Amino acid sequence: MKALLDRARSFKRRVDFESGEYRKLADGQYPEALFITCSDSRVIPALITGARPGEIFELRNAGNIVPPYGSPGASGEAATVEYALEVLGVQDIIVCGHSHCGAMGALKSGDDLSSLPGVDAWLRLARPELASVLTSATDDPSLPDVAQGNVVNQLAVLRTYPVVRQRLDAGRLRLHGWYYEVDTGQVHELEGDGLFRVHSG
């Protein structure tokens, strides 16, 4: 914690806040994309994409899960999607799963999560649509089949949101599925044939 605190205290000295770039941030944000990914500390959207402050709007939670549209109660995820599209006008949404995901691992192993009722209730949102993948996935500890299947499912959930569907139908929004390997840094992109592929940059 001390190292984090020291870096926070020296942040203003390490970054040129006198530059026009940072002063413009005070006028508002105009991100290019909504980036939905896992809360996992090894997945850092700005590091992966090289994004500068103000370029991506982030939504992070355990397992990069999007609750079904119309779920009862307040939802930070639904609010973030709505705000990103209606207020910020983002034209791209990326759902990025990752290798070695603890949430996907818990689903695959069928862990008893009774001591973690919040986690159990949250993962229950993703479990039904992943049922076939969970039974057929290999025992690869990086869990590519499960994590990639979850990305596909969360993109499908997003399409049920009226605010998403309207923009897709009007050609004003693009959805992207990514799978990030934490041990190699490779980003696999979901293509039209349903497969994830690495593209050289």
Side-chain angles (χ1 to χ4, degrees), residues 52-65:
R52 303 284 302 153
E55 289 184 342
I56 55 176
F57 197 58
E58 295 183 24
L59 169 55
R60 304 186 68 166
N61 61 47
N64 43 271
I65 294 169

Side-chain angles (χ1 to χ4, degrees), residues 5-39:
L5 185 57
D6 288 345
R7 288 196 295 269
R9 288 171 174 166
S10 66
F11 182 56
K12 188 178 186 313
R13 292 195 307 273
R14 291 183 285 115
V15 176
D16 181 13
F17 277 92
E18 298 304 315
S19 73
E21 176 187 4
Y22 281 92
R23 290 194 180 278
K24 284 194 328 191
L25 292 175
D27 296 332
Q29 59 173 322
Y30 308 95
E32 296 177 27
L34 169 60
F35 199 102
I36 301 173
T37 195
C38 189
S39 300

Side-chain angles (χ1 to χ4, degrees), residues 29 34 37 52 56 83 113 139 143 148 170 176:
Q29 59 173 322
L34 169 60
T37 195
R52 303 284 302 153
I56 55 176
Y83 189 85
L113 298 175
D139 290 329
L143 301 164
Q148 290 174 15
H176 310 270

Side-chain angles (χ1 to χ4, degrees), residues 79-113:
T80 300
V81 170
E82 185 178 276
Y83 189 85
L85 296 178
E86 295 281 25
V87 179
L88 300 178
V90 301
Q91 297 184 350
D92 292 273
I93 299 178
I94 301 154
V95 176
C96 181
H98 68 96
S99 68
H100 306 87
C101 179
M104 297 301 105
L107 287 172
K108 174 71 171 78
S109 64
D111 290 347
D112 176 8
L113 298 175

